[in-house]
Amino acid sequence: MDLIDDPAEGLNSPEFTVTEISGAIKRVIEGEFGHVRIRGEVGRVSRPRSGHIYLDLKDDKSVISGVIWKGVSARLETQPEEGMEVVATGRVTTFGGQSKYQIVIEDIKPAGMGALMALLEKRKKMLAEEGLFDPARKRPLPYLPEVIGVVTSPSGAVIRDILHRLRDRFPRKVLIWPVAVQGAKCAPEVARAIAGFNALTPGGAVPRPDLLIVARGGGSVEDLWGFNEEIVARAAAASEIPLISAVGHETDTTLIDFVSDKRAPTPTAAAELAVPVRHELAAWLDGQEARMAQLVSQGLSMRGQRLRDMGRALPRAETLLDGPRQRLDRAAEKLEPALIAGVQRRRVRLADVSGSLRPATLRQRLANDRRRLESIALRLAPALGRGVAAKRDRYDSRAKAFRPAALERDRLAKAQAFEKLVARLSEAGQRQTRGWRDRLEGLERLRETLSYKSTLARGYAVVRGDGAVVTDTRAAKKAAVLEIEFADGRLTVGGKPAAVRKKTPEVPPEQGSLL
């Protein structure tokens, strides 16, 4: 045996801490896979409050975790959604806290047209189920809006086409909200523009539009993708102002076309839908004015002809006045003789009346009336004195009746009468109570006298057999057991065994047998 043992295999290898080995693995992986592009299907997607996006990229055999930092997610043109096939560009690294590797994504795009169309169909189906495409919620466009709001790029040909078309058809006030019409900023800016127009106060410093136009020129699906975003579709659906979508060419279709109140194939067509042609409207108004003047003229002519026809059916005015004029003449002829006759009748009546109103007659009547008045005056003073004396006597007699001493005597007399009445009532009650008690005691003595118990006390007995009262010897012989009741108790007599019998009630002496 050697004095010094050979070291065991592996005991001389260096020792690493967990952090050191985790850092070494991180450097190896990041050095080998510094910048990669991975194609796969988006699995689980998590968006915490921090603003970062955590997701899984998977195929039919493997899964790799991914993270998109907050600053990068805000710049992405396409936001990842579960089930979406994408191509992610980034760097592979490790996360030592959980011993896992992941890809830090710097850019993510759909993996071809098929993925974009599948995502578009998924969003379209979701919004349709919520009722955002329902025709019943679409509002009619105003016939002639005063102010038109346009959401588009201010530097493109689209706004020039819209303004030129509006100027040719019917000039209106136009408010332009500049936005990006493609790229990552397109969807949030368009949504904010629609909400901003709706937030304006009617009649304010900046007038609120009566109609909105969201417009963009043609392009590829990727260029128009901002108008397929959910925030744009929901902003258009929530707009209280009627909205026309004019995105792309006639063959291009985006989600905003389904939720808008009206879809225009081109931006120029949107301007044509927004306002009518001024010359055509003026010509239509001229035609309506001519028609109205013609109808008024025809109406006046018809009413004039009808008035003339009715006038021919009426008699002449002179004929209508002949009868009343003749009645007036006859009344005038009768008026003068009637007035004369009336005056004469009133003159005769006045003469008759005035004959009885001679001065001597009036003086005689006055003298008679004066004498009658004097005689009445002579009788009036004694009569008044007698009346006053009679009333004074009556008052004195009544006053005597209301003196305190008389009232006190009357009160004492009535109190004594009341006490006598109370004493009589108490005595009568006591007599009636004694009579009732005597009667009750007599009835009790009669009950004791008639009761069969007193008869038993004189030496008699009640015999019962088999629960019934025995009244003769034949019934007593047939009974198995006899029960004899005496004044001080009952006695059972019989040689046969006692039979089970029902308890019988106590029999009064009128129904029992007394021995």
Side-chain angles (χ1 to χ4, degrees):
M1 180 177 182
D2 297 335
L3 295 176
I4 299 175
D5 295 335
D6 294 331
E9 184 178 358
L11 291 180
N12 61 346
S13 57
E15 295 180 352
F16 295 95
T17 64
V18 176
T19 302
E20 289 174 346
I21 196 68
S22 178
I25 294 173
K26 180 181 180 69
R27 287 191 295 273
V28 171
I29 291 179
E30 290 182 351
E32 186 69 22
F33 304 98
H35 196 267
V36 296
R37 297 177 73 232
I38 301 177
R39 181 181 182 134
E41 181 182 345
V42 178
R44 173 190 57 85
V45 179
S46 175
R47 289 181 171 85
R49 293 184 178 180
S50 61
H52 310 313
I53 301 176
Y54 298 93
L55 53 85
D56 291 338
L57 294 177
K58 62 182 180 179
D59 55 16
D60 57 344
K61 295 180 180 179
S62 303
V63 179
I64 183 172
S65 299
V67 59
I68 305 175
W69 303 125
K70 180 180 179 180
V72 177
S73 66
R75 299 194 304 268
L76 292 179
E77 296 182 5
T78 304
Q79 294 294 323
E81 297 182 12
E82 187 174 353
M84 183 178 177
E85 188 175 0
V86 297
V87 175
T89 303
R91 54 187 179 85
V92 179
T93 183
T94 63
F95 179 55
Q98 294 183 355
S99 299
K100 61 184 294 187
Y101 67 93
Q102 62 187 6
I103 177 172
V104 178
I105 299 174
E106 300 172 355
D107 188 20
I108 190 168
K109 293 182 179 179
M113 291 292 295
L116 287 177
M117 291 299 102
L119 178 59
L120 179 61
E121 289 299 323
K122 179 181 178 181
R123 288 179 180 171
K124 183 178 177 182
K125 181 180 179 181
M126 178 185 66
L127 296 177
E129 291 176 351
E130 294 182 13
L132 269 63
F133 300 166
D134 189 2
R137 58 167 297 277
K138 297 182 182 295
R139 295 174 295 275
L141 303 180
Y143 180 71
L144 188 59
E146 288 292 333
V147 181
I148 299 175
V150 180
V151 180
T152 188
S153 174
S155 60
V158 170
I159 187 62
R160 291 194 297 272
D161 292 342
I162 293 176
L163 295 176
H164 177 70
R165 197 59 176 166
L166 290 175
R167 187 165 52 249
D168 289 345
R169 290 175 66 87
F170 207 120
R172 297 281 89 185
K173 296 178 182 178
V174 178
L175 294 178
I176 302 174
W177 194 301
V179 296
V181 293
Q182 70 179 46
K185 297 181 179 180
C186 173
E189 289 187 2
V190 171
R192 285 196 297 270
I194 296 174
F197 272 132
N198 280 269
L200 293 176
T201 304
V206 179
R208 188 171 187 256
D210 303 314
L211 180 67
L212 295 183
I213 298 176
V214 179
R216 187 204 187 280
S220 63
V221 176
E222 291 82 0
D223 295 337
L224 302 179
W225 190 254
F227 298 92
N228 286 323
E229 294 292 344
E230 184 178 348
I231 58 172
V232 174
R234 293 192 180 278
S239 174
E240 297 179 358
I241 304 174
L243 187 144
I244 300 176
S245 64
V247 179
H249 297 302
E250 186 172 359
T251 56
D252 298 326
T253 303
T254 57
L255 283 181
I256 194 174
D257 296 332
F258 294 99
V259 298
S260 62
D261 298 302
K262 193 73 174 179
R263 178 186 181 268
T266 61
T268 304
E272 295 176 355
L273 291 173
V275 294
V277 180
R278 184 172 184 176
H279 301 296
E280 294 179 357
L281 183 59
W284 180 81
L285 289 175
D286 293 339
Q288 294 297 319
E289 183 179 2
R291 288 183 59 193
M292 186 169 61
Q294 183 180 1
L295 291 174
V296 170
S297 177
Q298 290 179 356
L300 291 175
S301 299
M302 291 175 60
R303 284 167 174 77
Q305 183 62 38
R306 185 178 179 185
L307 182 60
R308 288 190 293 272
D309 295 341
M310 294 176 66
R312 284 194 297 269
L314 291 174
R316 291 182 301 172
E318 295 79 2
T319 306
L320 294 175
L321 295 176
D322 287 343
R325 187 183 293 113
Q326 188 174 4
R327 288 195 300 272
L328 181 60
D329 293 340
R330 291 181 180 178
E333 293 175 357
K334 296 179 179 179
L335 179 60
E336 185 177 358
L339 290 175
I340 295 172
V343 171
Q344 290 177 353
R345 287 196 302 271
R346 285 168 176 76
R347 185 180 290 114
V348 171
R349 184 178 178 184
L350 180 60
D352 295 340
V353 174
S354 61
S356 60
L357 295 179
R358 290 193 296 268
T361 305
L362 293 176
R363 284 193 295 270
Q364 184 179 359
R365 291 185 63 179
L366 287 174
N368 294 333
D369 292 339
R370 186 179 292 108
R371 285 193 299 271
R372 186 168 61 253
L373 182 60
E374 291 174 353
S375 63
I376 292 174
L378 294 175
R379 295 195 304 269
L380 179 61
L384 288 175
R386 290 193 300 272
V388 170
K391 289 182 180 179
R392 184 181 292 110
D393 294 341
R394 189 163 57 252
Y395 173 75
D396 292 340
S397 62
R398 290 184 179 179
K400 292 177 181 178
F402 288 102
R403 292 176 183 175
L407 293 175
E408 182 64 20
R409 288 195 300 273
D410 184 68
R411 186 189 68 78
L412 292 175
K414 290 183 178 178
Q416 292 175 1
F418 178 75
E419 291 175 357
K420 291 180 180 180
L421 183 62
V422 170
R424 289 177 59 192
L425 181 61
S426 176
E427 184 179 356
Q430 292 176 3
R431 284 199 304 272
Q432 189 172 11
T433 303
R434 287 195 297 272
W436 287 342
R437 185 181 294 107
D438 295 339
R439 184 179 178 186
L440 184 61
E441 291 175 355
L443 291 174
E444 178 64 21
R445 288 194 297 274
L446 179 61
R447 186 186 67 80
E448 291 292 338
T449 302
L450 297 177
S451 174
Y452 78 100
K453 296 287 186 180
S454 60
T455 306
L456 294 178
R458 294 198 300 269
Y460 291 89
V462 179
V463 180
R464 296 181 179 89
D466 297 333
V469 176
V470 177
T471 58
D472 52 14
T473 56
R474 181 169 51 189
K477 292 178 180 180
K478 292 181 179 180
V481 177
L482 294 178
E483 185 183 63
I484 303 173
E485 181 182 0
F486 298 94
D488 57 349
R490 297 186 180 187
L491 176 64
T492 303
V493 179
K496 299 179 182 179
V500 179
R501 54 187 176 87
K502 295 168 63 177
K503 183 179 180 180
T504 58
E506 187 173 312
V507 182
E510 289 81 359
Q511 300 176 2
S513 174
L514 299 178
L515 300 179

